[in-house]
């Protein structure tokens, strides 16, 4: 695959992740990880780590849009931000020790759980 084709795939992958983030208030990484793995052909740990780095700016853009529209309540979001910061720090440390297979399995289980919750609850 040549560099030009890869850049196009990177841009489309980012756009799809951003679209999901904007529409659903999150979930861009759930779209991005499989795209980075299968379509862009990144190595597994690099795909997971890249997804996290990409999602941060996408979340900031989505939050800015929600804030601009008057639908973002920072006081209500603050406890989740603090918990997310703590969880992200712990997860980042565990990431180094986790095998790609474990990460793939946990990610699949998380997607399955989320899908079932969306359909039935």
């Amino acid at each position: 695959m040549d560099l030009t084709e890869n850049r196009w795939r990177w841009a489309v992958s980012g756009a799809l992740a951003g679209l999901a983030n904007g529409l659903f208030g999150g979930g861009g990484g759930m779209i991005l990880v499989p795209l980075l793995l299968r379509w862009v052909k990144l190595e597994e740990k690099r795909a997971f780590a890249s997804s996290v780095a990409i999602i941060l700016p996408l979340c900031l853009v989505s939050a800015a849009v929600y804030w601009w529209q008057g639908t973002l309540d920072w006081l209500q979001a603050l406890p989740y931000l603090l918990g997310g910061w703590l969880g992200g720090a712990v997860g980042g440390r565990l990431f180094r020790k986790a095998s790609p297979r474990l990460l793939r399995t946990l990610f699949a289980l998380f997607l399955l759980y989320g899908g079932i919750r969306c359909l039935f609850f």
Side-chain angles (χ1 to χ4, degrees):
M1 184 177 318
D2 69 18
L3 187 57
T4 305
E5 185 178 347
N6 247 358
R7 285 186 183 166
W8 179 81
R9 288 178 182 212
W10 295 339
V12 170
S13 298
L16 291 172
L19 181 66
N21 242 42
L23 281 173
F24 307 124
M30 291 188 195
I31 290 172
L32 194 55
V33 169
L35 286 170
L36 292 175
L37 287 171
R38 305 286 182 236
W39 203 36
V40 178
K41 307 282 190 223
L42 284 182
E43 178 265 325
E44 287 183 69
K45 280 201 161 188
R46 189 168 296 249
F48 283 107
S50 296
S51 174
V52 171
I54 294 164
I55 292 304
L56 174 63
L58 294 179
C59 288
L60 292 174
V61 168
S62 296
V65 170
Y66 294 151
W67 177 76
W68 183 265
Q69 293 174 344
T71 57
L72 177 60
D73 182 348
W74 283 108
L75 288 177
Q76 189 175 17
L78 187 60
Y80 301 100
L81 287 169
L82 295 174
W85 178 80
L86 179 61
V90 171
R93 290 190 180 268
L94 293 174
F95 177 79
R96 280 189 274 156
K97 298 175 183 174
S99 71
R101 180 174 172 79
L102 176 64
L103 290 173
R104 190 173 50 246
T105 301
L106 291 174
F107 185 71
L109 290 172
F110 184 69
L111 287 176
L112 184 61
Y113 170 77
I116 290 170
R117 293 255 327 159
C118 282
L119 287 174
F120 299 110
F121 300 104

